[in-house]
Amino acid sequence: MTLAARSKAGPNIKTVTPTTASSGVTASFDAEGWARWQRRSAPVYSGPYALVGDPSILRDGSLLRMFHTCYDVVRQGPAICQVTSTDGYSWAPVPVQDALPGRMLHTRPGKWDDTHETPLAIKFKGEYLLYYAGYQNRGGHLASLPIQIGLATSIDGEHFSLASDEPVLSVSSAGMDSDAVFSPTIIEHEGGLVMLYTAYCLDTCTQDKGVYVMAATSADGRTWSKISRPVISRVELPPGVQDIAEVHVAQGPDQQYYLFATYLYAAGQGHEIGIGRAATPYGPWQLSSVPVVRRVPDGFDDIAPIAPTVLMENGTVRMWFHGFSSVPQAQIGYAEAPWP
């Protein structure tokens, strides 16, 4: 589901001119209880190799910061980079001294996080917190379990250092996250932080195998306490959806919580982006049976639009997402809808 999982990146990757989309709507989509969603026909950011994904958008005054999975052509694997924008459509890498434009963290060969991907950035109590998924690369995402979540911090949003040499959220030996924890989303709730994350219960699982959305809580963003049960059960999933993953949670103007997620379909059917609503971050979630961002034939996301990140601003719900193409490429797209 991540860039590393789906791309076949290797020695034949070539440099491309990064693209942005300034206009053009290729599709409009309806979802239950929402105004019509419209998405742009071209990616809003493609990076130097047309291999970028897993966006995380942070509003920082007049600036938008997008942390994302990028491609390290030297190591031939994923890394974490940052680009910035004033409008959400045109993006430029943060000017750091690195061979990889905008790279935020260097991986640690031989350690648990010798590969980085699927970032999340938040600003909490005046500090920038950058969470990332880390693993020892043994040939791609699914071949490299376990995957765990690390944390880096910054005072300026552009220069990060590790908060700990160890994960801040690890797999559980007997839980539903026994093989992987990644793609976190964090929201402030009742004076603390709530994290929802994607969990794999696959190779070492002692329970029902599958992909789950789990939760954890924290007072400081560094020490997390897990909740043992999934926040979404399979009986709550819409018809045809096998699992959901890569969620983003935001609180709406109505004080309800909105979940934007990758809808996982059966093998060969691709994935799309759906929406849910709940009174608390823990659910129960009412999930729309109609996706709001769907695959577009011959588009940059003809295989799957996934991994949304969302801002709700000035009466508009703005979504950036990770689009997979059959080329193969991975690029970042944009969709929006009036509230609600």
Side-chain angles (χ1 to χ4, degrees):
M1 280 138 9
T2 63
L3 183 153
R6 299 213 173 258
S7 71
K8 303 299 183 182
N12 58 352
I13 291 297
K14 62 182 180 179
T15 302
V16 299
T17 301
T19 59
T20 59
S22 58
S23 63
V25 174
T26 188
S28 298
F29 301 122
D30 293 318
E32 298 158 335
W34 284 78
R36 174 160 287 201
W37 284 78
Q38 294 184 325
R39 50 147 284 177
R40 292 191 169 227
S41 57
V44 293
Y45 189 65
S46 63
Y49 306 110
L51 281 170
V52 297
D54 308 309
S56 172
I57 301 287
L58 173 63
R59 165 66 71 183
D60 197 7
S62 62
L63 193 67
L64 291 173
R65 299 185 182 275
M66 178 164 64
F67 297 80
H68 62 88
T69 304
C70 51
Y71 184 72
D72 184 342
V73 70
V74 175
R75 297 189 74 229
Q76 297 184 9
I80 303 297
C81 295
Q82 183 189 166
V83 292
T84 60
S85 175
T86 57
D87 60 11
Y89 312 124
S90 298
W91 297 89
V94 169
V96 294
Q97 294 183 341
D98 197 289
L100 181 59
R103 190 205 312 251
M104 292 290 97
L105 296 173
H106 279 271
T107 56
R108 303 187 298 159
K111 302 293 186 179
W112 70 270
D113 58 348
D114 73 3
T115 299
H116 296 162
E117 60 173 79
T118 57
L120 168 76
I122 65 170
K123 195 172 183 180
F124 184 62
K125 295 183 178 180
E127 186 179 36
Y128 297 85
L129 304 180
L130 174 58
Y131 298 86
Y132 63 92
Y135 53 89
Q136 290 187 328
N137 197 339
R138 292 184 290 273
H141 182 83
L142 290 174
S144 303
L145 305 177
I147 301 169
Q148 302 178 98
I149 294 175
L151 172 64
T153 64
S154 172
I155 60 173
D156 65 3
E158 296 184 359
H159 300 87
F160 286 85
S161 58
L162 291 182
S164 172
D165 289 338
E166 300 302 321
V168 294
L169 197 73
S170 302
V171 295
S172 302
S173 59
M176 290 182 167
D177 57 1
S178 60
D179 291 294
V181 297
F182 67 101
S183 289
T185 179
I186 295 174
I187 192 165
E188 294 190 42
H189 178 65
E190 296 182 345
L193 297 175
V194 177
M195 175 194 292
L196 269 60
Y197 61 93
T198 301
Y200 283 172
C201 190
L202 302 174
D203 295 344
T204 64
C205 193
T206 60
Q207 305 185 48
D208 290 339
K209 292 186 177 182
V211 178
Y212 297 95
V213 177
M214 308 293 289
T217 60
S218 176
D220 60 7
R222 288 167 165 78
T223 302
W224 293 88
S225 299
K226 292 183 179 180
I227 296 173
S228 59
R229 62 174 180 81
V231 297
I232 300 173
S233 68
R234 285 178 169 165
V235 298
E236 296 176 286
L237 299 179
V241 177
Q242 292 194 335
D243 289 298
I244 69 169
E246 298 156 335
V247 302
H248 178 94
V249 174
Q251 191 171 25
D254 59 358
Q255 304 307 305
Q256 295 287 298
Y257 290 88
Y258 290 86
L259 179 144
F260 303 82
T262 303
Y263 278 7
L264 307 178
Y265 301 131
Q269 295 183 17
H271 309 311
E272 295 175 318
I273 295 173
I275 290 178
R277 181 176 62 190
T280 77
Y282 309 107
W285 290 96
Q286 297 176 321
L287 298 172
S288 172
S289 62
V290 181
V292 295
V293 177
R294 307 174 205 172
R295 300 184 301 281
V296 174
D298 301 320
F300 70 93
D301 58 352
D302 60 347
I303 290 180
I306 64 169
T309 182
V310 170
L311 290 179
M312 296 186 180
E313 298 183 318
N314 303 317
T316 301
V317 185
R318 308 185 71 191
M319 178 193 296
W320 294 261
F321 61 91
H322 176 150
F324 276 115
S325 167
S326 53
V327 173
Q329 289 180 337
Q331 301 174 87
I332 292 172
Y334 176 84
E336 66 176 38
W339 170 262

